[in-house]
Amino acid sequence: MKGVIIGGGIIGLSIARELQKAGHNITVVEMYRVGRGASWTAGGMLAPQAEGLEPGTFLDMCLESRDMYETFVKALEKETETDVGYWKCGIFCPAYSEEEEHQLLARMKQYTDMGLSGNWIDRKSLEGRYLSLGKDIRGGVLYPDDAQVDNRLLMIALEKYARHRGINLMEFTQAEELIVQSGRFTGLKTSKGTVEADYCIVAAGAWSEKFVRAHIFPIKGEMAAIDVDKKDIDRVFFGSRAYLIPRKDYKRLVIGATEEMVGFVDGNTVKGILQLFTGLKETLPHLANRNIQEIWYGYRPATPDLLPVIGKTEVENLYVATGHHRNGILLAPVTAKIIKELIVDGIESHYLEEFSISRFRKEDDGQN
């Protein structure tokens, strides 16, 4: 079968890989270079617990995908001979106030009651571990099963897989219009001609709304990176003032991330970068003396309920996999599995009902 995927980010390329393995002929249409959008500008945290997700179906899916990650990256690394920097370093959530301490402890108890790991580390124990510690930090919760991947190395590996395994990458190509005949997808008009296919998957991130009414909108985020040494930090810090991600090789510390609903407004701002570096200084003050490597920004694909949109649409053989918000890197393995099973095996995951595009139908009907 022939399939076309709109969007060459982490979701699109992960799905393409699964479908190619199933013997399908896949074309990926990407308006820039594959892997250089939101997937390139992300932090790479695999952090369903550190994110503080509410117990429920979405947390279950995130935990499942986190548990899939080691197998996912080992297979990809073997296929491409590319290290993607996966590191089960654990993620530490500092409390900067008494209120935050209570909130973090309450969430940790919810998770431990579910059988998940997590433990409180007090201020005194932290002071002996780091060269400096922000004066407001009272302690924090460590989630040892949360992890990270170097998202840029991951995208390089997925791109390499696609190029070497015969997936057709139509880069710097605008997807312009879906061709639908009698309620069924038959092809995609692009700036480089029409791609005929048996099915289409919209995985265009923050730009998905152009092709399907999925209530997707961009949330802009600004990030930075600085020099770091191994003695500075031993794991990811995920705090309310900033998150700090030391890469496995300790050549880079990623700092994130702001959130702004400003639409597609390109560029970094003084305000955004000040927020990041203030959060850094209030967490590990001595790092304020390090050299800046890079600043950048990107656009998260969000929905009104901040949950993804995955599965079938009202058009036959038109599917959607988008709206992953802060968790696109984390959810790539499980999303690819869900879409492959749906298209190739006819298996409908139990996640599809909750994350179906149809959940917005009432709102759409009210606007008509």
Side-chain angles (χ1 to χ4, degrees), residues 95-114:
Y96 298 91
S97 66
E98 185 177 358
E99 181 183 5
E100 268 195 320
E101 180 178 335
H102 291 320
Q103 291 171 347
L104 287 170
L105 285 169
R107 181 66 76 205
M108 183 187 76
K109 185 177 186 306
Q110 278 189 306
Y111 291 154
T112 54
D113 287 347
M114 294 169 59

Side-chain angles (χ1 to χ4, degrees), residues 161-235:
Y161 180 94
R163 294 193 191 282
H164 292 178
R165 300 299 178 102
I167 294 170
N168 181 26
L169 300 180
M170 294 181 64
E171 298 177 287
F172 305 101
T173 303
Q174 291 289 337
E176 294 177 343
E177 184 182 352
L178 300 169
I179 302 172
V180 178
Q181 297 177 343
S182 302
R184 180 185 178 88
F185 170 84
T186 60
L188 175 68
K189 290 182 180 178
T190 81
S191 58
K192 296 182 180 177
T194 297
V195 180
E196 295 182 352
D198 299 304
Y199 61 85
C200 177
I201 303 158
V202 177
W207 292 266
S208 297
E209 198 71 9
K210 176 180 177 181
F211 308 102
V212 61
R213 182 130 177 85
H215 292 256
I216 303 296
F217 58 91
I219 296 183
K220 183 180 177 180
E222 298 187 51
M223 299 184 71
I226 64 170
D227 292 344
V228 69
D229 293 321
K230 197 167 185 176
K231 64 180 180 294
D232 292 322
I233 182 171
D234 55 349
R235 54 175 49 91

Side-chain angles (χ1 to χ4, degrees), residues 10-283:
I10 180 72
I11 300 298
L13 290 183
S14 296
I15 293 171
R17 175 173 170 266
E18 286 296 318
L19 292 171
Q20 184 273 335
K21 284 174 176 284
H24 287 206
N25 184 348
I26 303 299
T27 295
V28 176
V29 178
E30 167 58 45
M31 62 180 174
Y32 303 118
R33 180 178 171 184
V34 294
R36 297 310 192 270
S39 304
W40 192 260
T41 62
M45 290 186 297
L46 311 174
Q49 291 181 258
E51 289 268 9
L53 300 177
E54 289 281 352
T57 307
F58 185 57
L59 174 60
D60 292 345
M61 186 167 77
C62 289
L63 291 170
E64 180 178 339
S65 203
R66 184 188 69 182
D67 293 344
M68 294 171 67
Y69 235 92
E70 188 167 0
T71 300
F72 168 64
V73 298
K74 280 185 176 179
L76 182 62
E77 287 177 335
K78 186 176 180 180
E79 292 159 354
T80 62
E81 298 181 343
T82 302
D83 182 359
V84 302
Y86 173 76
W87 184 16
K88 193 175 177 181
C89 56
I91 297 184
F92 177 71
C93 301
Y96 298 91
S97 66
E98 185 177 358
E99 181 183 5
E100 268 195 320
E101 180 178 335
H102 291 320
Q103 291 171 347
L104 287 170
L105 285 169
R107 181 66 76 205
M108 183 187 76
K109 185 177 186 306
Q110 278 189 306
Y111 291 154
T112 54
D113 287 347
M114 294 169 59
L116 300 173
S117 59
N119 56 282
W120 177 262
I121 301 176
D122 62 27
R123 167 93 191 189
K124 187 175 181 182
S125 300
L126 292 171
E127 286 176 339
R129 186 176 298 182
Y130 301 106
L131 297 178
S132 66
L133 196 66
K135 61 181 177 58
D136 294 335
I137 295 177
R138 301 167 60 86
V141 175
L142 172 63
Y143 292 113
D145 293 332
D146 278 352
Q148 65 155 298
V149 66
D150 187 323
N151 48 291
R152 294 186 178 182
L153 294 180
L154 179 59
M155 297 316 300
I156 289 169
L158 283 167
E159 178 185 353
K160 186 182 290 188
Y161 180 94
R163 294 193 191 282
H164 292 178
R165 300 299 178 102
I167 294 170
N168 181 26
L169 300 180
M170 294 181 64
E171 298 177 287
F172 305 101
T173 303
Q174 291 289 337
E176 294 177 343
E177 184 182 352
L178 300 169
I179 302 172
V180 178
Q181 297 177 343
S182 302
R184 180 185 178 88
F185 170 84
T186 60
L188 175 68
K189 290 182 180 178
T190 81
S191 58
K192 296 182 180 177
T194 297
V195 180
E196 295 182 352
D198 299 304
Y199 61 85
C200 177
I201 303 158
V202 177
W207 292 266
S208 297
E209 198 71 9
K210 176 180 177 181
F211 308 102
V212 61
R213 182 130 177 85
H215 292 256
I216 303 296
F217 58 91
I219 296 183
K220 183 180 177 180
E222 298 187 51
M223 299 184 71
I226 64 170
D227 292 344
V228 69
D229 293 321
K230 197 167 185 176
K231 64 180 180 294
D232 292 322
I233 182 171
D234 55 349
R235 54 175 49 91
V236 174
F237 273 53
F238 186 104
S240 57
R241 300 185 185 180
Y243 55 74
L244 313 179
I245 309 169
R247 292 306 187 205
K248 191 176 182 180
D249 61 6
Y250 281 99
K251 292 180 180 178
R252 184 176 178 89
L253 180 79
V254 174
I255 308 163
T258 65
E259 291 196 13
E260 285 188 291
M261 291 177 58
V262 293
F264 293 105
V265 178
D266 291 346
N268 284 102
T269 64
V270 172
K271 174 186 173 185
I273 299 305
L274 274 174
Q275 180 180 326
L276 298 179
F277 289 142
T278 299
L280 170 72
K281 190 174 181 182
E282 291 175 348
T283 305

